[in-house]
Amino acid sequence: MQNLNQKALRLGVPLSVHLDVTYRCNERCEHCYLEHDDRGEMTTAEIRALLQQLEEAGVFFLTLSGGEPLVRRDCFDIIEYARSLQFNVKLKTNAVLIREREARLLRSLGVEQVQISVYSHRSEVHDSITRLPGSLRRTLEGVRLLREHGLKVSVANVLMKSNSADSEGVRAMAGELGAHYMLDPTITPMIDGRTVVLQYRAAPRELASVFHNSQLVGNVEEFCAPPAPVDDDILDGLPCSAGHTACYISPYGDLYPCVQFPLACGNVRRERFLDIWRDSPQLREVRSIRGKDLDTCSSCSHLGTCSRCPGLAFMESNMRGPSSADCEKSFVRTGIPSAQMMAPASTVRPSALRTLVQIQFTT
């Protein structure tokens, strides 16, 4: 995979594409970054034509998501056509609509993996987050059916205030179901830039209890180790694969570097995918940035180990700047403040910074 990614980067090939086929959803998760109204999503014919263009461009990994992709009546037709073009398909779903027929179809179509969001092992917590009564029961039924049909299932556990004590329970439940467990500590602003959902982010103290739990992060000593020295390879390296070997396409045809990086680069309804990929001024700007070009971060000891997301930085200030949420996570992991946190005019939220300092001196 490392060699494949390096070759794709060298040749300018968009190896991976995340395609949301709809923003409609049967859940209303409190932290969701999407609006769920249909403003004219691409038709079946438009998506088939787009998939042909992606195949011609060299795309191999295709993630189909939403919203909830299974609310589209043509979802399985889209998957079948994608598989006929030899895409490696990953499906993101809440599994509420998966029954025996759907599980059997996904297996027969050769879907590589199904990723399912589970917020808690307790129905009262999970269902309150999704705002759909009975959703945990139905989601777990879907997971079991998928596993019974031999599909790889990944349980994505988004960490937030309301479920910060439940990660271990979700991990254990995923293990019992034979599913892979993934912890996601990131709550992103809404795709239109609004920050109302950030109120659901887990507090630094809650992050600390998770980041120092070996059952959830693996080798704690390695995960929480002080950052390694920054060398020329890191300074000359790319901040992220977004826009380099990967991109995101919305149900309306808008192309962005990543689903968490809402910098509009073109629209596949008006232009060919490959023309946008090769010629977009916005993508060219994204591709021009190296570690040494980042404001503040280029002088930070965490540069080589930080989970800094350029999309979060873009929504917070600019794509060359720091992401305060990622600075917080790096500090919680290592106990070492980032360059942004040490700066006199730091943009880290004062309340969060005070809490982080308290954690440093009480643990």
Side-chain angles (χ1 to χ4, degrees):
M1 281 305 304
Q2 197 169 29
N3 290 337
L4 185 62
N5 276 296
Q6 289 174 350
K7 186 173 183 179
L9 181 63
R10 187 170 66 251
L11 297 176
V13 173
L15 189 61
S16 304
V17 167
H18 177 152
L19 171 62
D20 278 351
V21 295
T22 184
Y23 283 161
R24 291 176 288 142
C25 192
N26 48 3
E27 294 182 335
R28 288 295 182 270
C29 297
E30 62 185 14
H31 64 289
C32 186
Y33 54 85
L34 299 173
E35 290 288 355
H36 298 298
D37 295 332
D38 179 4
R39 295 188 288 104
E41 59 199 27
M42 287 186 285
T43 65
T44 308
E46 286 179 307
I47 291 177
R48 287 172 67 99
L50 172 61
L51 292 177
Q52 291 176 356
Q53 293 181 42
L54 298 183
E55 188 268 339
E56 293 167 4
V59 174
F60 180 61
F61 297 104
L62 178 67
T63 297
L64 296 175
S65 184
E68 171 48 52
L70 294 181
V71 303
R72 280 192 68 132
R73 295 182 179 181
D74 61 354
C75 184
F76 285 98
D77 293 333
I78 292 170
I79 295 172
E80 182 176 15
Y81 188 67
R83 291 293 297 128
S84 75
L85 295 176
Q86 301 298 306
F87 288 111
N88 177 294
V89 174
K90 174 181 179 179
L91 178 69
K92 289 188 175 183
T93 174
N94 56 37
V96 166
L97 297 176
I98 290 178
R99 300 291 186 269
E100 176 71 28
R101 171 184 172 273
E102 288 76 19
R104 185 173 64 252
L105 270 173
L106 290 172
R107 182 68 180 89
S108 67
L109 291 172
V111 170
E112 173 65 19
Q113 182 185 150
V114 182
Q115 180 177 312
I116 299 169
S117 294
V118 178
Y119 303 110
S120 174
H121 59 296
R122 297 181 293 158
S123 59
E124 63 270 23
V125 176
H126 178 94
D127 293 2
S128 69
I129 291 172
T130 65
R131 297 169 180 165
L132 178 66
S135 57
L136 179 61
R137 174 184 55 80
R138 295 170 66 182
T139 290
L140 296 182
E141 287 174 0
V143 173
R144 291 188 184 97
L145 284 169
L146 292 168
R147 290 297 300 132
E148 287 173 5
H149 284 79
L151 282 143
K152 297 177 187 175
V153 176
S154 179
V155 166
N157 181 206
V158 178
L159 182 67
M160 58 190 92
K161 287 179 181 177
S162 55
N163 69 352
S164 61
D166 293 358
S167 297
E168 179 56 34
V170 177
R171 186 202 64 81
M173 185 174 63
E176 293 170 2
L177 293 168
H180 175 68
Y181 172 80
M182 295 170 48
L183 177 68
D184 183 358
T186 304
I187 300 291
T188 68
M190 298 190 74
I191 201 166
D192 62 6
R194 286 180 291 153
T195 59
V196 61
V197 294
L198 299 189
Q199 64 181 300
Y200 299 111
R201 278 180 176 170
R205 192 176 297 279
E206 294 163 338
L207 286 175
S209 66
V210 170
F211 286 177
H212 293 82
N213 184 334
S214 61
Q215 296 295 319
L216 299 173
V217 301
N219 189 325
V220 171
E221 290 186 4
E222 181 178 319
F223 185 72
C224 298
V230 175
D231 57 24
D232 288 342
D233 287 342
I234 294 173
L235 289 170
D236 292 330
L238 302 175
C240 179
S241 64
H244 294 273
T245 59
C247 68
Y248 164 70
I249 302 173
S250 81
Y252 313 119
D254 297 310
L255 189 150
Y256 305 105
C258 172
V259 69
Q260 293 182 181
F261 195 162
L263 172 68
C265 301
N267 187 286
V268 297
R269 280 175 153 167
R270 298 188 291 271
E271 306 170 73
R272 286 185 57 80
F273 169 81
L274 205 50
D275 291 338
I276 300 172
W277 180 257
R278 289 174 175 169
D279 301 328
S280 163
Q282 294 83 4
L283 286 177
R284 286 181 180 174
E285 181 181 6
V286 170
R287 292 168 186 156
S288 71
I289 301 172
R290 298 295 181 269
K292 61 188 175 185
D293 303 318
L294 299 176
D295 301 338
T296 308
C297 300
S298 59
S299 62
C300 183
S301 63
H302 290 278
L303 181 61
T305 57
C306 178
S307 60
R308 175 191 176 274
C309 171
L312 293 181
F314 171 75
M315 285 190 277
E316 185 173 319
S317 55
N318 70 83
M319 70 178 79
R320 289 177 171 79
S323 159
S324 61
D326 291 315
C327 289
E328 290 179 9
K329 285 185 282 187
S330 291
F331 180 78
V332 169
R333 282 194 300 109
T334 66
I336 298 173
S338 69
Q340 183 203 23
M341 294 169 65
M342 298 295 288
S346 173
T347 56
V348 174
R349 292 169 289 159
S351 59
L353 181 56
R354 281 195 296 270
T355 305
L356 289 169
V357 172
Q358 289 169 4
I359 291 173
Q360 185 180 30
F361 290 103
T362 58
T363 58

